[in-house]
Amino acid sequence: MDLNFPPLKNDRILRAARGEETDKVPVWVMRQAGRYLPEFRATRVNHDFFSMCQTPEVACEVTLQPIRRFPLDAAIIFSDILVIPQALGMEVLMKAGEGPVFTSPLVTPEDLNLLETPVNVDDKLGYVFKAVNLTRHKLEGKVPLIGFAGAPWTLMSYMIEGGGSKTMSKSKAWLYRYPEESHKLLQILTDAIVDFLVGQVRAGAQMLQVFESHAEYLSPDLFTQFALPYIKQIQERVRTKVDVPMCIFPKGGHFSLEQLSSAGYDIIGLDWTIKPEEGRQKVGPNITVQGNMDPCALYGTKESIQLVAKNMVHRFGTQRYIANLGHGIYPDVDPEHLAAFIDGIHDA
């Protein structure tokens, strides 16, 4: 693997992550390589979703598409949080109009015996590392490259629910009914996630994000017991091997922000349902915040989008801040509206 990378020309996001002064607010967007782009849809015609993830040249190409089109301050590797369950031997399909579907979800704790552990990430997920390395070179130093993984609770809930869910009742039932086995599964996932994140950095990723996308389904007590310890452990173990800024994004987890501020992450991501001032106050002055425009604001006029973006920067402040949406961009958004958002941030 070639680690002789081109020099970085724009380190704005890394400076913000470290709490250093930035000339402008850095901005990137979750799912910025995605279906809202016509060039992505053209690439997708010839590949199913996971084959795109598993083909380094294709994953690299779609990662670069938004960077060519917009003045973004970071690229994020095109992949999916569910590559970890796949590496554990579970079959996951991406079905049109339905999203991810597990053909054989976990039903009882005995099913843990079917998981292929421990995971050799180089063997099972080497395609992601190849994509990261190729993309880092093809970026030619234009912007940093972000690697990522799903957090253990979020992955556990997918593996038990068998896909998306409005209640997460099957996976939450495990937490109440099988607490010991739940911890066993969460530890299996944590071990794989740590190796996966470290592998991405060693391949060329310059920043990491951990997605706790299902934080909102947990009570504060369940979060403290079944999510927080593993989120902390990931940060601690990754740091013993590599040193890059790390972000934790607990979607809907406002109740967890004070606890997460002592979990060792450089950045905490906020969704759109919290006031910027409140998010700042909960996180404290020594951590960078990221977020949090409502993705649906991109359906407004270009003028209204720029006003919302500038107001958001005004409320968060220009330092120790990374602008983003409060979740991923939706597939039917006009790319020109995303351009208006980015311009509004940089002009604020």
Side-chain angles (χ1 to χ4, degrees), residues 332-347:
D332 58 348
V333 166
D334 182 341
E336 290 303 309
H337 287 211
L338 181 59
F341 167 68
I342 296 164
D343 289 345
I345 297 295
H346 281 157
D347 293 345

Side-chain angles (χ1 to χ4, degrees), residues 13-236:
I13 197 167
L14 303 181
R15 294 177 66 82
R18 294 189 295 256
E20 298 169 8
E21 192 174 337
T22 54
D23 60 329
K24 292 181 180 179
V25 172
V27 57
W28 70 280
V29 172
M30 288 179 272
R31 297 200 189 119
Q32 64 188 33
R35 286 177 290 167
Y36 73 102
L37 289 177
E39 54 267 43
F40 178 94
R41 295 195 297 273
T43 306
R44 179 86 197 260
V45 167
N46 301 314
H47 306 271
D48 70 65
F49 179 83
F50 282 114
S51 77
M52 290 174 72
C53 297
Q54 292 157 5
T55 311
E57 295 76 16
V58 177
C60 172
E61 165 58 24
V62 294
T63 300
L64 295 173
Q65 285 173 352
I67 305 303
R68 294 189 192 115
R69 187 186 269 261
F70 308 113
L72 291 156
D73 292 297
I76 182 166
I77 194 65
F78 179 77
S79 184
D80 193 87
I81 64 171
L82 299 181
V83 299
I84 294 274
Q86 286 177 329
L88 286 162
M90 298 188 80
E91 184 179 39
V92 189
L93 308 174
M94 196 64 75
K95 295 199 172 177
E98 205 175 338
V101 175
F102 285 69
T103 53
S104 299
L106 304 176
V107 179
T108 68
E110 287 70 41
D111 293 335
L112 296 181
N113 297 322
L114 301 173
L115 298 178
E116 297 167 12
T117 60
V119 175
N120 180 330
V121 293
D122 291 320
D123 178 38
K124 294 288 183 71
L125 297 169
Y127 61 86
V128 178
F129 305 150
K130 287 176 184 170
V132 166
N133 189 259
L134 179 62
T135 305
R136 176 79 186 270
H137 284 287
K138 294 277 190 182
L139 279 167
E140 298 175 337
K142 190 172 183 182
V143 293
L145 179 60
I146 302 171
F148 71 93
W153 154 247
T154 293
L155 297 183
M156 172 182 171
S157 59
Y158 270 115
M159 291 161 72
I160 294 169
E161 302 292 340
S165 165
K166 289 183 177 174
T167 61
M168 299 294 156
S169 56
K170 292 177 186 173
S171 44
K172 286 177 71 179
W174 270 55
L175 304 182
Y176 286 107
R177 193 179 299 157
Y178 313 122
E180 199 175 309
E181 293 87 349
S182 294
H183 280 298
K184 181 182 177 185
L185 174 54
L186 291 162
Q187 190 60 56
I188 287 168
L189 288 163
T190 297
D191 293 344
I193 291 161
V194 167
D195 290 347
F196 182 48
L197 290 172
V198 169
Q200 289 180 73
V201 175
R202 288 181 172 162
Q206 292 147 290
M207 184 171 135
L208 295 171
Q209 178 152 317
V210 178
F211 286 85
E212 189 67 281
S213 307
H214 295 167
E216 61 197 307
Y217 294 95
L218 296 177
S219 68
D221 286 347
L222 286 181
F223 186 89
T224 300
Q225 192 178 350
F226 293 102
L228 185 64
Y230 301 99
I231 289 169
K232 280 186 174 178
Q233 188 189 140
I234 288 166
Q235 183 275 141
E236 289 163 0

Side-chain angles (χ1 to χ4, degrees), residues 231-289:
I231 289 169
K232 280 186 174 178
Q233 188 189 140
I234 288 166
Q235 183 275 141
E236 289 163 0
R237 289 173 60 190
V238 168
R239 299 265 196 214
T240 64
K241 297 181 177 177
V242 294
D243 183 24
V244 297
M246 295 181 70
C247 175
I248 176 71
F249 175 51
K251 183 173 179 289
H254 307 171
F255 56 83
S256 69
L257 294 175
E258 290 97 339
Q259 288 177 300
L260 286 171
S261 68
S262 59
Y265 287 79
D266 307 274
I267 309 154
I268 295 181
L270 306 176
D271 66 46
W272 69 91
T273 62
I274 189 167
K275 294 175 183 175
E277 300 83 0
E278 189 182 341
R280 273 273 191 215
Q281 184 261 322
K282 285 176 179 283
V283 163
N286 300 319
I287 291 174
T288 296
V289 291

